[in-house]
Amino acid sequence: MAATCFTVLPSSLSFNSDIQSSSFPSITSSSFSGGIIFRPHIHFLSLSSLFSPCCASSSSSSNFSRRRFRTVVRAASDYYSTLGVSRSAGIKEIKAAYRKLARQYHPDVNKEPGATEKFKEISAAYEVLSDDKKRSLYDQFGEAGVKSSMGGDAGTYTTNPFDLFETFFGASMGGFSGMDQTAFRAGRRATVTKGEDLRYDMALEFSESIFGAEKEFELSHLETCEDCAGTGAKVGSKMRICSSCGGRGQVMRTEQTPFGLFSQVSVCPTCRGSGEAISDYCGKCGGEGRVRVRKDIKLKVPPGVSSGSILRVTREGDAGPQGGPPGDLYVYLEVKEMPEIQRDGINLRSTLSISYLEAILGAIVKVKTVEGNIDLEVPPGTQPGDVLVLAKKGAPKLNRPSIRGDHLFDVNVAIPRTISVKERELLEELAVLRIIPTSRLRPRPTAQPPIESSEEQTNTETGKAEESEDPDGLWGKLKNFAGSVANGALKWLRDNL
């Protein structure tokens, strides 16, 4: 940026009000020494003034020698001057100027310091002057008016200058010699999109959730088309610049509102942000770049999973558009319940029912576990609600199978509602031994005599009838017994008296 230094005489400094241009006024002065006339544009780069007594009158030289000062004013460059065209230049002249300067100052061709900034300025000037609406705003309000209408600050580029260059010259960069095309295209905005994630629900047996399993299932998902490698274009065909966005991958919509012009930038719906359009579609995928296939998936379920666990299978989701990476597959697990065994974290729980005699005397019972039937020792004197433990027979900890829980058994003592007479007699004897007060015992029920058969009843009744019919026989026997007793008593008296 050049700066002009000159010396002026303040006593004779004056400016007239002549306007040289309808759009951008210039300033005319004829009072400088030598009658110099200068007409700077309103968008001047810099202006420096150095007051010096060299041209002053002798009467005021001493004052100016003590009042030296320097004034510098800076503003943005003129777009027309940047491209080197006049204000009345047509679009063809503007394009020709941009083509020449862009080739000259492109960073991949010009390695001199400041070439990149110059290239950006040229691109910004061409972006405005090649658009009729932007050019009209610039001619009326200058660069500040253009930037404010686009919602940006001064010096902000609404379009990537490298995207603009590729749009103008094409993907081949106009056949530049010595240009690194790979480095140039690396500046484009990445449009690679990851594919969608998928979900698959799987049911597991209870034992499979404890010990793990290997499952295989069929999945339908999108894969990258092998014929076109995801581009959607037919093999051998060439891509063309998108006509909707001009290769920028973005479209801008400007609306006039009471508050001014508002611009909204969005991804181009035609090329989906790539800046290129397909001229001849692939016959296999129809231009989508993806095809739906069915695939067998093998999944290893780790030990210790439970209902609600989620397993992630990377890169087994849908393939991304335009050759993008595939998404992931998420497998949601649902474990079937087992009636006898319940899950409690890494521990397992079951209910064990035993008789009161087994609870008193102790026993060894068979219990069901995830490893099959195992003997469990019930210690004597086990109380209802006690918990018996089988160590290391529970579920393993997820991702740490060496840590395993226990199998817990909640004891339930079964008390019989009815017992036999013999059992009651034995229990009463036990109660006496345990010194249980008899008042707390329930009275023993009276044993009912056995019911005789009808024949026995008939014989008994017949005997009674015979006795009633022959009373002398019975009395005779009693008399004989009484007589023998009396005779014995008399004999004993005679012998002893």
Side-chain angles (χ1 to χ4, degrees):
M1 305 237 176
T4 304
C5 297
F6 51 91
T7 304
V8 297
L9 186 61
S11 60
S12 60
L13 182 63
S14 64
F15 296 93
N16 59 22
S17 58
D18 295 337
I19 305 301
Q20 302 297 329
S21 175
S22 59
S23 300
F24 296 92
S26 60
I27 304 174
T28 303
S29 174
S30 59
S31 300
F32 292 95
S33 55
I36 300 175
I37 300 176
F38 69 99
R39 299 173 60 189
H41 193 274
I42 193 172
H43 293 282
F44 51 85
L45 297 178
S46 104
L47 176 63
S48 300
S49 300
L50 179 60
F51 285 87
S52 174
C54 63
C55 297
S57 62
S58 59
S59 60
S60 59
S61 59
S62 59
N63 295 332
F64 280 104
S65 63
R66 291 190 299 270
R67 291 190 297 129
R68 290 182 180 230
F69 60 91
R70 181 182 181 88
T71 304
V72 178
V73 182
R74 297 183 183 274
S77 61
D78 177 30
Y79 285 159
Y80 292 99
S81 301
T82 301
L83 294 181
V85 297
S86 63
R87 292 186 169 276
S88 59
I91 187 63
K92 291 184 179 181
E93 186 178 352
I94 293 175
K95 286 185 177 181
Y98 171 74
R99 178 186 292 273
K100 178 182 177 181
L101 295 175
R103 287 173 179 266
Q104 179 181 354
Y105 290 99
H106 194 282
D108 288 341
V109 177
N110 193 332
K111 303 298 183 181
E112 296 180 0
T116 301
E117 293 299 326
K118 183 65 174 179
F119 176 75
K120 292 181 179 180
E121 292 177 4
I122 294 170
S123 300
Y126 175 75
E127 180 186 355
V128 173
L129 299 182
S130 62
D131 187 285
D132 294 338
K133 183 179 294 187
K134 295 180 182 178
R135 184 176 180 180
S136 177
L137 291 173
Y138 177 76
D139 290 341
Q140 295 180 26
F141 306 106
E143 183 181 1
V146 176
K147 296 303 181 183
S148 62
S149 66
M150 295 181 181
D153 298 331
T156 302
Y157 297 99
T158 59
T159 302
N160 189 326
F162 298 96
D163 287 348
L164 180 63
F165 181 85
E166 185 177 352
T167 302
F168 190 87
F169 290 100
S172 62
M173 281 71 74
F176 284 10
S177 59
M179 179 177 288
D180 186 1
Q181 298 186 11
T182 304
F184 175 80
R185 293 187 63 87
R188 288 188 57 86
R189 180 176 298 178
T191 57
V192 178
T193 304
K194 184 180 178 181
E196 297 83 3
D197 296 331
L198 298 180
R199 170 174 175 167
Y200 184 86
D201 296 326
M202 176 181 290
L204 291 178
E205 298 293 337
F206 192 85
S207 59
E208 292 176 336
S209 67
I210 301 297
F211 301 106
E214 290 187 0
K215 308 291 287 185
E216 185 174 353
F217 58 93
E218 188 179 54
L219 178 69
S220 174
H221 65 174
L222 295 175
E223 291 188 355
T224 301
C225 179
E226 297 179 354
D227 292 356
C228 64
T231 61
K234 187 178 180 180
V235 179
S237 63
K238 296 182 179 180
M239 304 292 288
R240 58 181 175 83
I241 300 297
C242 178
S243 59
S244 299
C245 63
R248 291 190 295 268
Q250 296 178 339
V251 292
M252 183 173 63
R253 180 182 178 184
T254 304
E255 295 181 355
Q256 180 68 43
T257 67
F259 302 99
L261 290 175
F262 284 85
S263 299
Q264 181 180 7
V265 179
S266 60
V267 177
C268 177
T270 304
C271 63
R272 300 176 182 177
S274 65
E276 297 177 334
I278 300 173
S279 58
D280 194 1
Y281 292 102
C282 173
K284 184 176 180 180
C285 63
E288 291 293 331
R290 301 182 294 179
V291 292
R292 183 166 294 279
V293 297
R294 303 187 72 86
K295 182 180 180 181
D296 292 332
I297 304 295
K298 291 184 178 180
L299 177 66
K300 185 176 182 180
V301 180
V305 297
S306 58
S307 294
S309 297
I310 303 175
L311 303 181
R312 176 188 176 192
V313 185
T314 58
R315 301 183 64 86
E316 289 297 344
D318 287 341
Q322 299 180 355
D328 299 329
L329 171 64
Y330 292 90
V331 181
Y332 288 71
L333 301 180
E334 182 67 27
V335 180
K336 297 180 181 178
E337 296 182 357
M338 183 178 290
E340 299 87 353
I341 303 175
Q342 291 78 38
R343 187 82 177 263
D344 184 13
I346 62 173
N347 295 326
L348 303 179
R349 302 194 76 97
S350 298
T351 300
L352 176 63
S353 296
I354 59 176
S355 66
Y356 68 98
L357 296 177
E358 291 174 331
I360 296 172
L361 303 176
I364 295 178
V365 296
K366 291 280 187 181
V367 293
K368 185 176 181 179
T369 67
V370 292
E371 298 181 358
N373 294 330
I374 297 179
D375 292 335
L376 175 64
E377 181 179 358
V378 179
T382 299
Q383 303 296 318
D386 286 354
V387 179
L388 305 180
V389 180
L390 280 177
K392 304 298 182 181
K393 298 298 181 182
K397 190 173 183 179
L398 187 62
N399 299 327
R400 299 186 64 182
S402 60
I403 301 177
R404 191 170 177 181
D406 303 327
H407 196 153
L408 310 178
F409 293 87
D410 298 317
V411 178
N412 179 30
V413 179
I415 306 297
R417 294 183 178 275
T418 59
I419 57 176
S420 63
V421 176
K422 183 63 175 176
E423 288 177 326
R424 184 173 182 84
E425 292 177 354
L426 294 175
L427 291 176
E428 288 178 350
E429 293 179 6
L430 178 63
V432 173
L433 294 176
R434 298 290 295 180
I435 314 177
I436 299 178
T438 56
S439 60
R440 295 175 58 181
L441 297 178
R442 185 179 178 181
R444 181 187 302 180
T446 305
Q448 298 293 332
I451 300 176
E452 299 179 352
S453 62
S454 58
E455 295 182 356
E456 294 178 352
Q457 292 179 358
T458 304
N459 293 336
T460 303
E461 292 177 356
T462 304
K464 291 181 179 179
E466 291 178 353
E467 292 178 359
S468 61
E469 293 176 357
D470 189 13
D472 295 339
L474 178 60
W475 284 108
K477 294 178 180 180
L478 292 175
K479 290 178 181 181
N480 292 334
F481 176 75
S484 62
V485 172
N487 293 332
L490 291 174
K491 184 178 179 180
W492 182 82
L493 291 173
R494 284 197 300 267
D495 293 336
N496 293 286
L497 292 177

